[in-house]
Amino acid sequence: MSVQQTLSIIKPNAVAKNAIGAICERFEKAGLRIVAARMSHLTREQATAFYAVHQGKPFFDELVGFMTSGPVLAMALEGEDAIALNREIMGATNPAQAAPGTIRADFADSFTENAVHGSDAPDTAATEIAFFFPEGVCPRTR
Ligand code: IDP
């Protein structure tokens, strides 16, 4: 186990249903600390760049359309094993397969509109945090 940082995005459908507080509470209760946060309304170019790895897949256009449909809250979360812990709290990508009590089970509207994003590995976490927070995140205070 080691202290890691991971990128979380509360996606437009969850922001629209006023679930930011409920979702952040789950992160904090699990021991994850929010060390950076920014609301933004992504442009097509930004969403395309963020999800470049999925370009050409059948769901890509729908994904970019969804991610640009309204504001998102991007956060850097920090904690012990933050990457895997966040993915556990989020639940499976397909909400139909997400375990009860996970964020996606409770806040997703569809496979695409699945409420949250979380980095899947240390290298992608670093790239994704830098994408939203090029100035860096808050230093640890204690
Ligand atoms: P992840 O968000 O759980 O890491 P990825 O496979 O990286 O999952 O997919 C990125 C996002 O693209 C998903 O969160 C979801 O919004 C969307 N997505 C992935 N696969 C599908 C699909 O088969 N149908 C519709 N949307 C999908």
Side-chain angles (χ1 to χ4, degrees):
M1 296 243 293
S2 63
V3 174
Q4 296 176 324
Q5 292 180 345
T6 189
L7 184 83
S8 166
I9 304 176
I10 300 184
K11 295 184 177 182
N13 70 310
V15 172
K17 62 174 85 166
N18 233 9
I20 288 176
I23 292 172
C24 288
E25 184 178 25
R26 294 186 184 205
F27 295 144
E28 293 187 331
K29 282 207 165 125
L32 293 168
R33 192 171 286 277
I34 298 166
V35 294
R38 167 165 297 138
M39 295 287 307
S40 42
H41 194 145
L42 297 175
T43 63
R44 267 200 88 74
E45 290 67 31
Q46 287 171 320
T48 299
F50 185 80
Y51 279 118
V53 68
H54 293 303
Q55 211 151 9
K57 294 185 185 167
F59 60 85
F60 185 73
D61 287 346
E62 187 185 344
L63 176 61
V64 169
F66 165 55
M67 290 301 290
T68 56
S69 67
V72 300
L73 178 64
M75 289 175 285
L77 305 177
E78 184 177 276
E80 286 284 339
D81 264 338
I83 296 169
L85 176 58
N86 182 39
R87 302 262 327 169
E88 190 183 319
I89 299 166
M90 287 163 53
T93 307
N94 181 353
Q97 290 162 6
T102 59
I103 293 169
R104 283 169 165 166
D106 292 341
F107 297 103
D109 293 299
S110 68
F111 204 152
T112 299
E113 301 197 12
N114 60 0
V116 281
H117 167 84
S119 309
D120 62 1
D123 57 336
T124 48
T127 309
E128 291 176 359
I129 289 171
F131 184 93
F132 281 97
F133 305 105
E135 72 283 12
V137 306
C138 279
R140 298 236 283 168
T141 50
R142 64 196 170 87

